[in-house]
Amino acid sequence: MMQDTIAAIARLDDIALVCDYVLRACRKFGPRAASYHLTPRFARQTAPNIQLCSEGAPEAWKLLYRDPAFRSMDPIPDYIVETGRTMTLRSAIAGIRDSGEATEENERYFAAMAEHGFDHGVGIPLYGPHNRKGFAAFAFDEAVGVKDDRVSAVEALAKAAHHRICELLETSEQHAVGLSKREQEVLEQIAAGCSNIEIAARLGISPETVGTYVKRLFDKLDTRDRIGATVKGLKLGLIYA
């Protein structure tokens, strides 16, 4: 079963499909919630522009974690990726506290985790070519150890998925639509469902200027609307679900 699933991952040719397929496949091994961070090169695991996929988490938690200000309070992904090994979330929290570097914001984040039922879980560091790092987390209903067969299974799937996503990114970048930094920012905001006025406020530019960037994006992506731009951006690896 595991080999078949990993083989299926290797055949997928769309990043969004890889994320969706793997997160759902992992649920078969017991976690009630799963998440995957695809991190921009040389960025922190909780950077404002990480691409985050999740499955099974309560909506209230999803809303919280998609807020960059709240996410910046989370020290766990960086700690686990820097440590370089899979560990339980409780072990990670203990390690951060023992280091003496836990801030008041970190402690508020830990309290929020407990409040939303993330007492038990594991974090998995992911590494790919060209410094493409990632992070996966899985929440269970009961305490699990890193040597648990269920943890080994989701770890293998997460690593296979990250490897495939890195491959697809390399391919897509070879044929990518050339976007300026500002066009990329506007596309990301469109994908997040923001209006031109909201984008203008977030990027500190005028709505009229946003409109110009949106028109350029539609032309470059050969689409007529925001949904089409988002879908095309996902297919080309310009943005991630």
Side-chain angles (χ1 to χ4, degrees):
M1 176 181 175
M2 177 63 71
Q3 290 181 340
D4 291 342
T5 303
I6 290 177
I9 292 169
R11 292 193 296 269
L12 294 172
D13 60 2
D14 182 273
I15 291 172
L17 288 178
V18 174
C19 291
D20 182 67
Y21 180 86
V22 172
L23 290 178
R24 292 181 185 277
C26 286
R27 292 289 296 277
K28 298 176 182 178
F29 294 96
R32 58 180 174 78
S35 65
Y36 168 67
H37 296 204
L38 180 58
T39 313
R41 289 176 177 143
F42 309 110
R44 295 183 61 233
Q45 294 299 315
T46 52
N49 57 336
I50 67 164
Q51 304 301 326
L52 177 66
C53 305
S54 63
E55 169 72 19
E59 286 301 318
W61 179 259
K62 288 182 181 179
L63 288 173
L64 272 177
Y65 204 80
R66 287 189 181 278
D67 177 359
F70 178 78
R71 192 165 61 242
S72 69
M73 297 164 60
D74 178 10
I76 295 174
D78 279 333
Y79 179 80
I80 290 179
V81 169
E82 289 169 7
T83 301
R85 59 186 174 86
T86 297
M87 63 178 65
T88 66
L89 300 181
R90 285 190 170 185
S91 294
I93 292 172
I96 293 166
R97 286 171 170 163
D98 288 345
S99 72
E101 297 182 359
T103 66
E104 291 184 5
E105 286 189 340
N106 295 157
E107 292 296 346
R108 288 200 298 272
Y109 178 82
F110 299 153
M113 282 180 61
E115 180 182 345
H116 286 82
F118 292 102
D119 294 319
H120 306 298
V122 295
I124 300 168
L126 302 169
Y127 308 96
H130 307 299
N131 203 47
R132 292 194 188 278
K133 297 177 182 178
F135 173 77
F138 298 90
F140 291 81
D141 287 325
E142 68 285 328
V144 293
V146 294
K147 294 184 178 180
D148 189 298
D149 287 344
R150 295 169 295 174
V151 173
S152 297
V154 297
E155 181 178 24
L157 292 176
K159 289 181 177 179
H162 186 66
H163 179 76
R164 182 54 179 159
I165 287 170
C166 289
E167 289 181 334
L168 293 172
L169 282 171
E170 291 301 310
T171 301
S172 68
E173 286 178 351
Q174 293 172 5
H175 305 90
V177 173
L179 299 183
S180 69
K181 179 180 178 182
R182 184 64 84 186
E183 287 169 344
Q184 178 72 36
E185 292 172 339
V186 171
L187 179 58
E188 290 170 356
Q189 296 299 319
I190 288 174
C194 297
S195 68
N196 283 10
I197 292 176
E198 290 171 326
I199 295 173
R202 291 187 178 195
L203 300 183
I205 56 181
S206 71
E208 291 76 16
T209 301
V210 172
T212 299
Y213 282 119
V214 170
K215 185 179 183 304
R216 287 182 192 171
L217 284 168
F218 287 178
D219 290 341
K220 286 187 175 184
L221 297 174
D222 191 23
T223 186
R224 296 181 179 180
D225 55 44
R226 301 168 94 85
I227 294 176
T230 299
V231 171
K232 193 71 173 285
L234 287 167
K235 287 183 176 180
L236 293 174
L238 300 171
I239 53 176
Y240 309 104

